[in-house]
Amino acid sequence: MKKVLQLCSLCILLLVSTGYGMSNNEVLQMIEKKLFGKLSNGSEIFAYTLKNQNGMTAEIINYGAIVVSLTAPDRNGKFEDIVHGYDNIDSYVVDKNYFGCIVGRYGNRIGKGKFLLEGKVYQLGINNGENHLHGGETGFSKRVWSAEPIESETDPALKLTYVSKDGEEGYPGTVTITVVYTLTKNNELKIEYTGTTDKTTVFNPTHHSYFNLSGNMNTTILDHELEINADKTTPVDNELITTGKYADVANTPMDFRLPKKIGKDINADYEQLKFGLGYDHNWVINGYNKKVNRVASLYEAGSGRYMEVYSDQPGLQFYSGNFLNGSVAGKKGIKYQYRSALCLETQCFPDSPNKPQFPSAILKPGDVYKQTTIYKFSTK
Ligand code: BGC
């Protein structure tokens, strides 16, 4: 194996490996590390760019474990960035959209930020009306993680670790989370989570990239065709807190069992869509068996880009970017408009700490939480 180390003024190229032994031309797999910016306290934040042998890239920073950019080829082989994000760290620090991050400790809302666990009531930080959203004001998405590039002949990866102290945002227990992002040779962004705790707690991390497969962030996602392998959703109230009930998708705008344009029913006169200002709900994945299964797909006909989502989680939050309103300038100064991107967040159900009928998100000392989610890219 040939090892190369290059230094340049702006970046350090971390050699991962060469393609020695591969059948075609020599392919150099690299993880590039460069300074992304500094926090106000002087902490340096680095960007790591994973590149696979097909030319796909994923740029990830050790702040919030955020995917800043993700490139994928269209049907003509043209690579474009297909996620929302910012060019600078200051914008991520004040961001309220959770662009590209790992959300935690608990993805989505916990009603009134309160729950009972082993006989004790815990009060979490309130950061969304009267409720707790995405781990609170300073959740995992606003923390500095440690980062470790993982060498691989074919599948460059980055391992990120964060230790969340006992009592952080009101949650019990010191939790250690690791997230490994791998860009595979099959054009997948694979996300593997592990979590441990020293006291019983609740734990439900997820990934929050905003996708627009056209690569043109001045467009909306209303023409994207979405399919979700789910017969039911968990309806919400007017504060977007799950009611604890299940609802059939059949004969409703929530039916994505066959691929459907997102714009087809999004403005229907339907109470759940009024509450969410569009889609902002959890779908109950059919045949949940704790194994990695195909849960959803997304297709954009203009570019031909096709994304499949695989996950071992019981739920999927489909959020159609209803709170984007053109007020923040993202990468290249683009003001991200209403419904210009969407999230597909693999998760346990929202507010499950208060809904015993939902799958449990309780994590106990000695247990190891594991999640695998894969976003797989191809073209049609
Ligand atoms: C939630 C939305 C929330 C958004 C924040 C989504 O995951 O479902 O309700 O507004 O994140 O960016």
Side-chain angles (χ1 to χ4, degrees):
M1 184 183 306
K2 195 166 72 184
K3 295 238 168 186
V4 182
L5 181 66
Q6 293 179 345
L7 287 172
C8 63
S9 54
L10 272 177
C11 62
I12 304 163
L13 295 177
L14 292 176
L15 172 76
V16 173
S17 75
T18 67
Y20 179 80
M22 300 178 67
S23 53
N24 48 16
N25 295 338
E26 193 177 81
V27 184
L28 189 65
Q29 302 302 323
M30 285 182 296
I31 300 174
E32 181 186 300
K33 178 185 178 187
K34 68 176 187 213
L35 187 64
F36 187 72
K38 281 187 188 173
L39 299 177
S40 56
N41 66 6
S43 297
E44 292 184 322
I45 301 301
F46 292 95
Y48 298 81
T49 304
L50 314 183
K51 187 171 188 177
N52 76 1
Q53 63 201 54
N54 310 316
M56 244 188 104
T57 60
E59 183 186 3
I60 300 157
I61 55 174
N62 65 318
Y63 181 84
I66 291 169
V67 174
V68 171
S69 71
L70 181 66
T71 67
D74 70 5
R75 65 162 74 84
N76 300 314
K78 184 178 174 202
F79 285 83
E80 281 172 307
D81 187 7
I82 51 163
V83 294
H84 279 4
Y86 303 107
D87 306 306
N88 61 80
I89 190 65
D90 295 347
S91 297
Y92 279 112
V93 171
V94 297
D95 170 66
K96 300 267 184 228
N97 296 302
Y98 298 83
F99 284 158
C101 66
I102 294 295
V103 161
R105 267 182 216 198
Y106 203 96
N108 209 276
R109 291 172 181 79
I110 295 181
K112 312 285 183 231
K114 207 182 259 192
F115 61 92
L116 178 72
L117 186 63
E118 295 185 337
K120 198 171 159 198
V121 174
Y122 290 93
Q123 178 63 60
L124 307 174
I126 300 299
N127 63 331
N128 189 254
E130 295 185 354
N131 304 306
H132 177 87
L133 173 68
H134 289 338
E137 196 65 38
T138 318
F140 293 179
S141 57
K142 300 278 187 246
R143 303 283 177 175
V144 178
W145 296 51
S146 61
E148 189 193 322
I150 301 175
E151 298 191 9
S152 156
E153 298 252 331
T154 53
D155 304 276
L158 185 69
K159 179 179 180 184
L160 294 135
T161 306
Y162 174 64
V163 180
S164 168
K165 299 238 167 65
D166 187 9
E168 191 177 283
E169 289 291 337
Y171 289 99
T174 294
V175 162
T176 302
I177 177 172
T178 67
V179 169
V180 179
Y181 284 107
T182 306
L183 201 53
T184 76
K185 54 183 168 304
N186 299 322
N187 284 0
E188 300 159 322
L189 179 67
K190 181 160 83 178
I191 311 175
E192 292 164 293
Y193 305 69
T194 60
T196 53
T197 184
D198 64 357
K199 280 186 195 156
T200 303
T201 190
V202 292
F203 189 59
N204 178 32
T206 189
H207 178 70
H208 214 269
S209 272
Y210 283 64
F211 299 99
N212 180 324
L213 298 184
S214 77
N216 178 353
M217 299 305 172
N218 288 309
T219 63
T220 73
I221 43 77
L222 297 178
D223 280 340
H224 283 49
E225 287 167 39
L226 177 68
E227 174 207 352
I228 306 176
N229 180 22
D231 294 339
K232 292 181 192 303
T233 62
T234 52
V236 290
D237 65 16
N238 61 358
E239 291 186 19
L240 296 180
I241 303 297
T242 47
T243 60
K245 299 196 176 101
Y246 293 93
D248 288 327
V249 298
N251 305 313
T252 78
M254 314 305 274
D255 191 352
F256 284 96
R257 290 174 298 176
L258 295 174
K260 179 174 80 175
K261 282 196 176 169
I262 291 166
K264 180 165 182 283
D265 298 328
I266 199 169
N267 294 319
D269 186 12
Y270 187 70
E271 189 180 56
Q272 286 295 308
L273 291 173
K274 302 260 181 267
F275 288 160
L277 304 177
Y279 294 106
D280 193 354
H281 300 83
N282 173 64
W283 270 255
V284 178
I285 297 305
N286 289 339
Y288 166 62
N289 59 2
K290 302 188 179 175
K291 298 207 170 87
V292 178
N293 293 310
R294 188 175 175 284
V295 298
S297 72
L298 186 68
Y299 177 60
E300 199 275 316
S303 63
R305 288 193 185 92
Y306 184 54
M307 180 176 89
E308 292 164 283
V309 185
Y310 295 80
S311 163
D312 54 10
Q313 293 299 292
L316 179 76
Q317 186 83 14
F318 163 38
Y319 168 58
S320 55
N322 313 308
F323 297 109
L324 298 173
N325 58 13
S327 62
V328 295
K331 287 176 280 190
K332 299 185 187 150
I334 295 174
K335 299 234 165 125
Y336 297 135
Q337 304 293 331
Y338 186 47
R339 299 176 177 165
S340 56
L342 64 90
C343 302
L344 294 171
E345 306 157 52
T346 56
Q347 61 183 7
C348 190
F349 302 171
D351 203 30
S352 82
N354 292 309
K355 308 276 155 56
Q357 65 273 42
F358 286 172
S360 169
I362 293 172
L363 183 67
K364 296 192 167 167
D367 291 349
V368 180
Y369 171 94
K370 283 195 182 291
Q371 179 192 155
T372 300
T373 290
I374 296 167
Y375 298 96
K376 179 173 184 178
F377 298 90
S378 57
T379 57
K380 289 209 285 187

